[in-house]
Amino acid sequence: MQIEIVILALVIGYLIGSISISRVVTRIAAPTTDLTKVKMHDQGTDEDYYLTNVGATTASMVLGPKIGGLIGILDILKAFIPTLTIKLIFPDQPYYLFTGGAVVGGHIWTIFHRFRGGGGISPALGAFLAIDPLGALATNLIAMFLGFVVFREYLLALMLGTWLMIPWLWVSKGHWEFGLFAFLINLMLVLATIPDIKRYARARATGKVDVASAMEDIPMGRMMNKMMYRLGLSKKPKE
């Protein structure tokens, strides 16, 4: 690999990832709204709190679930398109791994907004779809089934799919670099969602968490709920 191309792939990915689509859409639809000061009610702890991340979930609290879902899809494409583009330009070299990882990093720690961005799950999915679409779909379906049906755990349904990509990429691609890439993606996601994980743990300890209801609070979760309903594995989600 050429170090110049690696640096270029990282810079391109980070700058694209740093574009806060949730802020752009909110500025158009609700220009007086500050996404850094959005409150949410936690049904598990019965408390109100400010959302720490500024992404599709935060925007959906202001603009509604449909626009929040659209932002989530755009965040997926934000990582999918540049990662796939670099992959097609350099099919014999894994430069696209640097691009995909940098997009996720830029989304979480955006340089344009004092390093305060979104949680990173949507762009992570986009990067994985560009690298291995079958793996991304299979691991997320497994995660949804285990989270919704077997263990009834919200975080399992939401995040296990990205963790399963570590062994999937390592084995399917036959190179440890792919497994390391998936691990670093997951490490960034954990760092970005530590406050949410702590809050969920407290709510889980009270026994007040309902997995389907919890998933309805985030755009990615709503999409998962609808998919599981169509597969006949959950109740009809909210519209």
Side-chain angles (χ1 to χ4, degrees), residues 91-212:
D92 298 325
Q93 295 290 340
Y95 295 121
Y96 54 91
L97 297 183
F98 296 97
T99 302
V103 172
V104 176
H107 179 86
I108 296 172
W109 300 290
T110 167
I111 195 172
F112 302 130
H113 300 282
R114 298 181 180 180
F115 304 102
R116 184 176 177 183
I121 293 178
S122 294
L125 176 59
F128 285 136
L129 282 170
I131 294 167
D132 191 327
L134 176 61
L137 293 173
T139 54
N140 275 280
L141 284 174
I142 292 171
M144 284 189 288
F145 177 77
L146 292 176
F148 274 91
V149 180
V150 180
F151 297 104
R152 305 295 297 172
E153 282 287 350
Y154 155 70
L155 281 181
L156 197 66
L158 185 62
M159 301 188 72
L160 179 62
T162 58
W163 282 102
L164 289 175
M165 285 300 292
I166 299 174
W168 181 288
L169 287 179
W170 197 328
V171 173
S172 66
K173 301 299 183 181
H175 296 284
W176 63 268
E177 293 91 342
F178 287 88
L180 177 60
F181 163 79
F183 173 78
L184 293 175
I185 291 290
N186 280 281
L187 180 60
M188 288 191 287
L189 296 182
V190 170
L191 292 174
T193 56
I194 285 176
D196 298 320
I197 294 173
K198 289 181 177 179
R199 191 160 40 245
Y200 176 79
R202 291 196 300 268
R204 191 71 177 83
T206 67
K208 296 180 179 179
V209 175
D210 174 72
V211 63

Side-chain angles (χ1 to χ4, degrees), residues 12-89:
I12 289 174
Y14 180 72
L15 291 177
I16 292 175
S18 290
I19 299 172
S20 180
I21 294 175
S22 59
R23 286 181 170 93
V24 173
V25 173
T26 301
R27 182 169 296 179
I28 295 171
T32 61
T33 299
D34 185 355
L35 289 182
T36 64
K37 298 180 179 179
V38 176
K39 280 186 178 181
M40 184 173 177
H41 183 73
D42 190 333
Q43 296 180 357
T45 60
D46 199 30
E47 297 176 347
D48 292 329
Y49 62 93
Y50 286 105
L51 294 176
T52 55
N53 295 321
V54 180
T57 299
T58 310
S60 68
M61 299 296 104
V62 178
L63 306 176
K66 290 185 179 180
I67 296 182
L70 173 62
I71 293 172
I73 292 173
L74 292 176
D75 281 336
I76 291 173
L77 293 175
K78 182 173 71 172
F80 176 80
I81 293 173
T83 304
L84 181 62
T85 299
I86 299 299
K87 182 180 179 181
L88 293 175
I89 294 174

